Structures are given as structure tokens and as C-alpha cells.
Amino acid sequence: MTAQFMQGNTACAEGALVAGCRFFAGYPITPSSEIAEILSYRLPALGGKFIQMEDEIASLAAVIGASVGGMKAMTATSGPGFSLMQENIGYAAMTEIPCVIVNVQRTGPSTGLPTSPAQGDVMQARWGTHGDHPIIVLSPSSVMETFHLTVTAFNFSEKYRTPVILLMDEVVAHMREKVELPPREQVEVVDRVQTNVPPEWYFPYEETASDVPPLVSFGQGFRYHITGLFHDQRGFPTERLDEIQPWLKRVFAKIHNNLGDILMYEEESIPGARTVVLSYGATARSARHAVRLARARRHKVGFFKPLTIWPFPEEAVERLAHTAKRIVVPEMNLGQLALEVERVAGRHKVRRVNRADGELVTPQQILEAIEG
Amino acid sequence: MSTKLREEHEVYDYLRHSKKFPVMWCAGCGIGIVLGAIIRAIDRMGLDRDRVAMVSGIGCTGRMPVYVDFNTMHTTHGRALAFATGLKLARPDMYVLVVMGDGDALAIGGNHFIHAARRNMDLTAIVVNNNIYGMTGGQYSPTTPQHMRATTAPYGNIEPPFPLCELAKAAGASFVARSTVYHAKELDRLIEQAIARRGFSVVEAVSYCHTTYGRLNRLGTAVDMMRWLKENSVTLAQAEKMSPEERETKIVRGVLLDREGPGYVDLYEEIIRQARAAENG
């Protein structure tokens, strides 16, 4: 274990490699491009593949194709590219193909501010694609955390057969920090569940005790069908009500029955706190600092940082709402995750601190909200 | 006809019988003929079906994979080539066939089509060209001939059509061929050659849509449209004897391009070898 000076995007690429990622398809976009650059250099020696596709739609399509071929696969993009990927994110959710999508957010809408940070894609990450499906979204606030959450994103995607979104922001992506990456063998790596039944018994979408059916790759002798249409347990298109509803229930259940595993958050000074600052990503750094400043001034303030943004850590926030008088939610947008906090805690308990002009929310702004 | 007779047919063995029949295509449609041609080509080549993948996009042709016992994937509209690109890179040992309609391949998927050709990605693209969007109800497509009618071209189509094969050749494909669903046996042979050729291979299977395009343009029944394909197509050898004006009005059948050249899959394997050698060196 040696200390290194590393950028967030580099930590993301390193995390992906440690997690077993062997395929990257992407289209260059600031501020995510370093991830593609590093992986284009690193993957071949590991027997992995890199391809720069013609656009972001094709990139995620290739990622899903590679995953069906048995490779752990990812893409990385920023807001405009993420918008283009939405249809195929839905496809991956519908077909339950593991993949990781990194979105290094920048200020938008549209081309926006290409090299300025934002957290404006929180709701798009959850609701960007059409139709009903669950999603897992993780958000790191440091370089070290980026490494770990990238590994976790791959592990969740394999374990739950679902697309996982790593929602970064430009500050974390381009910031350099000292990190100590753990030795490869100390990192827990999860692979998709394989089947032990013969091909004629294999149902790629069967109901299982864990709600996650085993996934075999193309070319392994199982010859099954994958479709974005509603499908039966064998993967064939169906319009039968008694097959559609169970599928929907199962894909929601596989996430919601495992919240204990999926929901990750950090708490600091919560017991006795009258005010809790809830923040994620780069903003959480300002928030934590503000909380510490406020506590030095003898304010009863706690800090809560969700690492899992979606599914939203509802019960934990409900507990905060019971014990604290107020929840302050600073974000680099005009109030997106605050909507979720308000849904759980009630509108009157939440104070928003927002900016969406390409600048970080400062500790001073948060401190004012705590004291105000 | 007895069941026994049907079972003796080479195609029978490749179909997914248990749930997927009858097919969802209109009676008289040409897509089934293309599917038959693909199966006969694979059967003749003796390919291990575990190593055959069929990837499609959306539309009438997009429904083809569900009926056949290969590794099959029905993806999003226009993106089949991009999905297939990822699959092929993950599994270079597999034969990846991509089946698309004209709208799927050339409108929404036009960008992927030219780039798959430019990369010379080792895929076999089979485009069933019926000059129309059939499944969505007969709207004009990038190959609808000028002046013909469609549900979104009630006054006649004013857009010139994409010459699919010329586009594939210009963009960098290795193999380009064309035939029609009337010439089913010729189609099998062309598909066989396309699968055998490394690099990006394109087969245009000229078909028809009697349900929408035929009706809107008063072209008669499926049989009439089939007869039209027979009477208005010529082999490459026949075309060479024609004047350019005369050739213009015909569908030219045969192998239009066949060239060898390195493609992305092989070139990338070389990069892996070099990177590993450097690592170990």
C-alpha cells in the first residue's frame, strides 16, 4: 500500500480495473474524459477492450453488448451524454444486464458550463428513462471514496443484475488528493451469479429466492433471448398480465429487499443535533466543514452524507426528521435531492442552500443557513 | 403436410417451437424468407449455434431473433450494430449477425451503420429493405423511392433514398451484396459469403411491404410485389450489359464488393499482444 497523489477520475478508472472491468466504450466529454483516456491505456495489457464509439448512445449499447458477452463493462460521460444514454439505461434495467455508467456532472442544462461542477443530474439519474424500474445511484465526495464506490458500483451491478450509476461531479473528478489504494486482494469483488442447471432448464428471468436470477453469457451454450419488450421467465416477449406484473415486482424487490446492503451513508455528531446538514458529493465537503465550524460555535449540528443517492435512504432520513428540528440540504442545483428529503421529512423541516452557477456551495453559505 | 415432413426440413431444427409460433409477420411478408436464408447459410456452413449470435433493433425485422435458436438479442431502435460491436469485442470467437430493417439501419441507426463499416467491425449486417416503416404503419423511410406514397408522405415522398450498398462500400465495408426475397437461394449463398468474410459485411435483402407500402401505392398483393422483384432485378453480369439509364431502373443482384482488410477486432487483438509484451518485457 503506497500513498499516491491522484485525481478523482483516475481513482474511478483504477477502481473499475480492480473491480474486474474489462470493457470500456465511451465518447469523449468534459469533465469525464480522463477515465476513457486511462482505460484506453490500461485495458489492453489486462486483456480488456476499449473502444471510442461514435456517440454516447452507441457507447452504452456496446457496454451492454459486452456485458452480455461476459465482460464487466462501463462507460463514463457527463450530462449531455448521460441524457443520450437514457434509453439504453432503461434497456439494461429491463433486460437486467449489469453495467456501470459514470456521470461526471457539469452545470446545465444543455451544453451549460462544460468544466464547472454541478449536481443537477440527481433526478435524471433516477427518472431519466421512461417507464418504471428501480436504479442504484452512488455519489462519492472524495478521491478515495471514488475508488471504493466505483468498485461498489460494479459489485452492485453484478450482484443485482442492474445498471448502476456513479454520480460524480467535476470537483471530485478533477480534484487531486493523497490516497492509499488497498492491495487488490483486499478488495471485495463480486461476480454475477452463475447457473448450475443444464441449458434446457435455464430461465434467464426466473423467480429465485434472492429475486436475482443467474446470468450466463452468450457463447456459453445456453442460447437464450434478450429483449427490451416485457418478457416471460425465458426472456420471450409477453403481453400477459400474469407475467408483466411479477417481473416488475421482482425487479423492485431485488433492490428493496436488499436496502440493508445497498444503502450507504455516513453520520457525524447526529445524537442531540437540533440541525442536521444533509449533503453529498463535493458539496458534502463544504457541509462537513460548516458543521464543524458551527459546532465550534456551540451549535447543536450534525452531519449526514448519503453515499447511496438512489434508492433514497428513507428510513435514516425519517429518523433524522424525528430527532432534529431542521434539515439543511446544500446542493449544487436549485433543489433536487432536497425534494426527496422534503418528501420524507416534511417541507417545513427542510432548508435548502443552493447554487447552480458553476461554483461550489461555500462552508460560509451553509453556516449562515445553520445559524439563520 | 405431415409433421414428419416438416421436421425433415433443415430450417425446422433451428426454430424455437415451444412458444414463438405463429410468427408475428403479415401473411405474405418477405422477412421469413430472409430468416430462412440465414438459417440455410448457417446450416450449410456447419456453424456451432452456440457461437452464433443474432442481434436486432426495432421494427418488423427486429422481431426476427426471437424465432431462432441462437444467442439472440432484440435491442433498442437503430442501435443493434452498437450492441453487436460490444458483444463481438467481448466474444471475438462468436459469429455476430445483425438483422435490421431499412429504417432501423439507415435512419436512426445511420450513424452506427457508417461507423461500423468504417471500423470494419467484424459483423454480418443483413438489412431487409422494404422501403417503408411497416410496424409503425407505413411512414416513409430513408429508402422509400422518390414520389412514392407513405402515410407521412401523402403527397408523394420528396426525399431521395439512401443507396444502402453504395453507402456501405463508401464507408469502408469489406463485403457488400444484394439480392431479393424472390431469389431466396441466391440470398442464402450471399449470406454465407458474408458470414465467411472477416470484417464488416452487408447483405441488402430487397423485400416488400404489401400491407402498407403496397396498398398505399396500389402495387397489388404480396404475389404481385414478389413478381415485380423477379421482373425488375438483374444479375451483376446482366447489369454490365445495360446502359446506365436502364441499369438505374433495376435492382442489381450479386456481390458488389469483396475485399480483404484488417478490421477493428483483429487490430485490437494485436494491441493486446503488444501491450502484454510490453508489460512482460
Side-chain angles (χ1 to χ4, degrees), chain B residues 82-205:
Chain B
F83 279 87
T85 294
L87 176 61
K88 180 69 189 181
L89 286 170
R91 295 298 307 244
D93 60 317
M94 285 183 89
Y95 294 93
V96 182
L97 277 59
V98 185
V99 290
M100 298 169 283
D102 42 303
D104 198 29
L106 296 180
I108 187 166
N111 199 26
H112 310 308
F113 187 81
I114 56 174
H115 287 282
R118 177 181 62 81
R119 290 184 190 109
N120 202 10
M121 189 53 70
D122 191 11
L123 301 169
T124 306
I126 297 152
V127 185
V128 181
N129 183 0
N130 62 3
N131 309 114
I132 203 85
Y133 287 91
M135 190 174 270
T136 42
Q139 298 82 11
Y140 69 91
S141 89
T143 62
T144 303
Q146 257 181 324
H147 315 304
M148 298 306 275
R149 284 179 202 279
T151 51
T152 46
Y155 306 107
N157 177 27
I158 54 172
E159 296 184 20
F162 248 143
L164 194 163
C165 291
E166 294 306 310
L167 184 69
K169 281 158 71 175
S174 271
F175 180 91
V176 180
R178 182 196 291 123
S179 189
T180 84
V181 291
Y182 176 81
H183 304 86
K185 291 282 177 184
E186 183 178 87
L187 205 51
D188 324 339
R189 293 289 173 187
L190 294 176
I191 291 170
E192 186 180 338
Q193 280 177 268
I195 296 171
R197 164 64 67 226
R198 285 193 75 77
F200 192 65
S201 319
V202 179
V203 178
E204 178 183 4

Side-chain angles (χ1 to χ4, degrees), chain A residues 44 47-54 57 61-62 65-66 69 88 91 218-219 221 223-227 232 234, chain B residues 16 18-19 50 66 69 71-74 76 79 82-83 86-87 89 91 111-112 119 264 268-269 272 276:
Chain A
K49 307 275 172 81
F50 169 91
I51 187 165
Q52 184 169 303
M53 294 299 284
E54 52 273 16
I57 301 174
N88 283 340
Y91 183 85
F218 274 13
R223 298 200 306 270
Y224 60 99
H225 187 60
I226 298 173
T227 178
D232 62 18
R234 288 192 293 174
Chain B
R16 284 172 169 153
S18 48
K19 187 161 176 180
D50 286 335
V66 72
D69 186 19
N71 301 278
T72 55
M73 194 169 182
H74 176 226
T76 48
R79 319 299 172 195
F83 279 87
L87 176 61
L89 286 170
R91 295 298 307 244
N111 199 26
H112 310 308
R119 290 184 190 109
Y264 194 96
Y268 205 92
E269 293 297 333
I272 290 177
R276 282 190 156 152

